[in-house]
Amino acid sequence: MEKKGSIHIRVDTTAKEEAVKVLKRIGISITEAIEMYLRQVTIEKAIPFQLSLNEKKERNYRLSVRKSATINVFISEKIKTEAEEVLECLGLSTATAIEIYLRQIVFTQNIPFLISLHKGNTR
């Protein structure tokens, strides 16, 4: 049985709530989505989607009151460790990377990257 690690992060409440709605329509949990995201970070050794800035949205976001929510997920200890190593090289905390990921789910109304199996990876 694969060991499970946990990540406790605080993210923007609206991003979390809206992402959960989208993920529910897709048929996966937030934990499953975050684990897929961390697997993709590990496979690609990078954030698995293009980041861009919408200046108008960013300006409105900075003016709005930030509320945060907590997400507790249990994921593979190996994936957590490997993803954190990649994110550290990118200068990102796990919390920041996951908040970016949730915002991309809301923005694209989908998982923002192609989900595929890595050759030689049975799970």
Side-chain angles (χ1 to χ4, degrees), residues 42-96:
T42 301
I43 290 167
E44 296 183 24
K45 304 288 188 251
I47 300 294
F49 47 82
Q50 183 179 359
L51 301 175
S52 63
L53 177 65
N54 178 319
E55 290 183 23
K56 183 177 179 184
K57 283 185 180 179
E58 179 65 18
R59 196 171 29 254
N60 289 340
Y61 177 73
R62 280 185 275 139
L63 294 174
S64 69
V65 176
R66 283 192 67 157
K67 296 179 184 176
S68 62
T70 300
I71 300 173
N72 296 314
V73 295
F74 294 92
I75 62 166
S76 160
E77 185 68 40
K78 180 180 179 200
I79 292 298
K80 176 184 181 274
T81 301
E82 290 176 4
E84 286 175 337
E85 289 171 2
V86 173
L87 292 169
E88 184 178 345
C89 290
L90 296 170
L92 292 171
S93 70
T94 303
T96 299

Side-chain angles (χ1 to χ4, degrees), residues 102-119:
L102 295 177
R103 289 181 178 284
Q104 287 297 307
I105 289 171
V106 172
F107 180 73
T108 64
Q109 294 292 294
N110 207 337
I111 301 295
F113 50 81
L114 178 63
I115 301 169
S116 61
L117 291 177
H118 186 269
K119 288 185 179 182

Side-chain angles (χ1 to χ4, degrees), residues 2-42:
E2 191 172 19
K3 288 175 56 176
K4 294 285 184 177
S6 63
I7 299 173
H8 304 279
I9 60 170
R10 295 192 64 74
V11 296
D12 179 77
T13 301
T14 303
K16 177 190 173 190
E17 291 169 355
E18 290 180 9
V20 167
K21 288 177 191 174
V22 172
L23 293 169
K24 186 174 182 178
R25 289 194 343 242
I26 294 171
I28 63 174
S29 70
I30 197 161
T31 298
E32 292 166 321
I34 291 170
E35 185 153 6
M36 290 184 329
Y37 169 67
L38 293 176
R39 286 183 186 277
Q40 289 300 124
V41 167
T42 301

